[in-house]
Amino acid sequence: MSTGPDTPDISDGDRADGPAARAPAAAPPAGLPLSAERLSALRRRTTVVLVVSQVLGGLGIAIGVALAAVLAERVSGSPALSGLAPTATVAGTALLSAPLAALMTSRGRRAGLVAAYLIGALGAGLVVLGAVAENFPLLLAGMAGFGAGASANLQARFAAADLAEPERRGRAISLVVWATTVGAVLGPNVAAPAGRTVSGLGIPAEAGPFLWAAGVFLISAVVVQLLLRPDPLLTARALAPGDHRAEGRSLRAGAATVRASPMARLAVVTAAVSHTAMVGIMSMTPLALSHHGAGIELIGLVISGHIAGMYAFSPVMGWLTDRVGRLAVIGLATGLLSVSALLAGTAGPSHTQVAIGLFLLGLGWSAGVVAASALLTESVPPSARAAAQGLSDLVMNAAAGVGGVMAGLIVAQAGYGSLNLAGALLLLPMAALAVRRAGGRSGGARTDPSG
């Protein structure tokens, strides 16, 4: 086996103890001399580390995102510009997806996740400085860097799939997505106390959560750096037979692989549309609620319910993805997102109806992202997976960034109801592609990677 950056750094405790410990027929025959038992233990340890990092990362993201639009309105003085803050976060996530994916393809998941959390911490610090200085461009730059934390949490779902058995891939992805629930639900409710802790420091209360987020991201980086060993992506490559030349791991190669597979294309479109609809509607909901008299605590409660929909039920979506098929769950995502837009868009001053709509919006996002992630992972060869996954996140977050910009403009010109209508119309391409693919195959629990 070759040495260098592509060789997983397996500790002595993970190595076989000579020919007698060689893996049985059920274990991967090539690459690493891991027995089935040790491979199973490696999967469990990797999952535990990813779960811990997701809890922390979800907390850091949710603390800040709850008041991003409100803080932007305060600093800019314009409701029309308030949507640029969450949009800058999504844009930063998109722009950083390519270099982070490139880093992961060459150095592994650990290097990319650590870099993402460190950039997120730096961005959160810039947000605080921008708020104190009342400098809107600096605040937006910080929000863009803050988006790297979201990129880390998104990429972690693919790290969970690196070593997963094909028939359990949806559940492996959904478990790591679910782990974000604890921090993500707690985060918006911590926003108000976090704001009060900085009241004597000359920092606006709306910026206090970002100071906390910076600290949480730093802790996440330390956890991943110290404990995510051996690297799951590098280990998966060493276990898998086939051609693993570096030139097959570029984003260009990933794009070519996605273009060649109809199922991979559907996966990328599903992730992009689900994420764009969710980000556009969610980012403007706090502002719409505040204009109808909701305070910070109520806004935090509504966003907590939304985030619970995104993450808490992801194991159900993963189970459905493995049991009834990727295409069926994509159809479920379309239905949930459509109903959520209808409820939120017609709620008016009813905070309860908005809360229900936002909860269903989270459920629809969960169904779309889990099914799309599993479908994409199995629709491309192992050598191109990291590149294709990075490309998917790039497209997903770039589309959501554009959607976030449009969301602020739509709300300013036509209102929150029109934004939800636009989000529902956005689902049509995803639905059309899913129906077309379903017409060509049954969409069972497993999908032929040949597309």
Side-chain angles (χ1 to χ4, degrees), residues 22-450:
R22 195 163 296 167
L32 297 175
L34 285 178
S35 67
E37 292 78 10
R38 290 183 176 178
L39 180 57
S40 178
L42 176 56
R43 288 181 177 128
R44 289 194 299 271
R45 185 170 69 249
T46 298
T47 299
V48 169
V49 175
L50 291 173
V51 164
V52 172
S53 69
Q54 285 292 91
V55 169
L56 293 170
L59 175 62
I61 295 165
I63 288 175
V65 75
L67 297 180
V70 178
L71 177 61
E73 183 179 23
R74 169 178 175 151
V75 174
S76 68
S78 170
L81 296 178
S82 62
L84 291 181
T87 298
T89 300
V90 176
T93 305
L95 292 174
L96 290 166
S97 294
L100 289 174
L103 181 59
M104 288 184 187
T105 57
S106 62
R107 304 287 297 180
R109 299 290 187 193
R110 184 173 64 250
L113 293 176
V114 169
Y117 282 129
L118 292 178
I119 295 171
L122 176 61
L126 290 179
V127 170
V128 175
L129 290 177
V132 171
E134 297 187 349
N135 186 318
F136 191 58
L138 181 60
L139 183 142
L140 292 182
M143 292 301 301
F146 181 76
S151 182
N153 269 37
L154 287 172
Q155 283 289 325
R157 76 192 192 279
F158 291 128
D162 287 334
L163 296 174
E165 304 97 321
E167 66 274 10
R168 295 184 59 85
R169 189 167 285 134
R171 278 165 282 186
I173 293 170
S174 66
L175 179 60
V176 172
V177 172
W178 169 85
T180 311
T181 306
V182 178
V185 173
L186 180 63
N189 293 292
V190 173
R196 289 193 290 269
T197 63
V198 300
S199 59
L201 303 176
I203 299 174
E206 296 88 347
F210 289 93
L211 189 61
W212 282 37
V216 172
F217 284 157
L218 289 175
I219 295 173
S220 300
V222 171
V223 168
V224 172
Q225 176 63 28
L226 294 180
L227 302 180
L228 193 62
R229 297 174 183 272
D231 189 280
L233 176 60
L234 302 185
T235 302
R237 283 185 188 157
L239 286 168
D243 185 3
H244 301 298
R245 291 176 299 175
E247 57 264 29
R249 302 173 194 159
S250 67
L251 285 181
R252 179 177 297 178
T257 303
V258 169
R259 284 196 303 269
S261 170
M263 284 297 185
R265 294 199 300 270
L266 171 60
V268 171
V269 170
T270 297
V273 170
S274 299
H275 197 54
T276 301
M278 185 277 291
V279 168
I281 295 173
M282 180 274 293
S283 64
M284 289 293 100
T285 297
L287 194 62
L289 286 170
S290 68
H291 289 170
H292 283 290
I296 290 179
E297 286 77 9
L298 179 57
I299 292 173
L301 185 62
V302 171
I303 297 300
S304 290
H306 164 68
I307 295 174
M310 290 175 66
Y311 302 118
F313 295 91
S314 59
V316 177
M317 301 305 176
W319 181 82
L320 288 173
T321 296
D322 288 335
R323 294 289 294 179
V324 304
R326 282 57 162 145
L327 298 182
V329 178
I330 290 174
L332 174 63
T334 304
L336 288 170
L337 291 169
S338 299
V339 173
S340 71
L342 174 64
L343 289 175
T346 60
S350 173
H351 298 156
T352 300
Q353 188 171 329
V354 171
I356 295 172
L358 264 287
F359 175 74
L360 293 178
L361 183 71
L363 281 181
W365 177 90
S366 180
V369 169
V370 169
S373 299
L375 182 60
L376 178 62
T377 298
E378 65 195 11
S379 298
V380 297
S383 60
R385 277 179 186 167
Q389 291 160 349
L391 175 70
S392 177
D393 278 357
L394 171 62
V395 172
M396 180 174 76
N397 288 290
V402 174
V405 172
M406 297 303 298
L409 296 175
I410 291 172
V411 169
Q413 298 297 321
Y416 182 67
S418 297
L419 171 63
N420 281 272
L421 175 61
L425 293 175
L426 188 63
L427 301 172
L428 293 177
M430 182 174 87
L433 280 176
V435 169
R436 181 179 179 183
R437 295 271 66 83
R441 61 179 66 209
S442 62
R446 293 199 44 198
T447 304
D448 183 357
S450 65

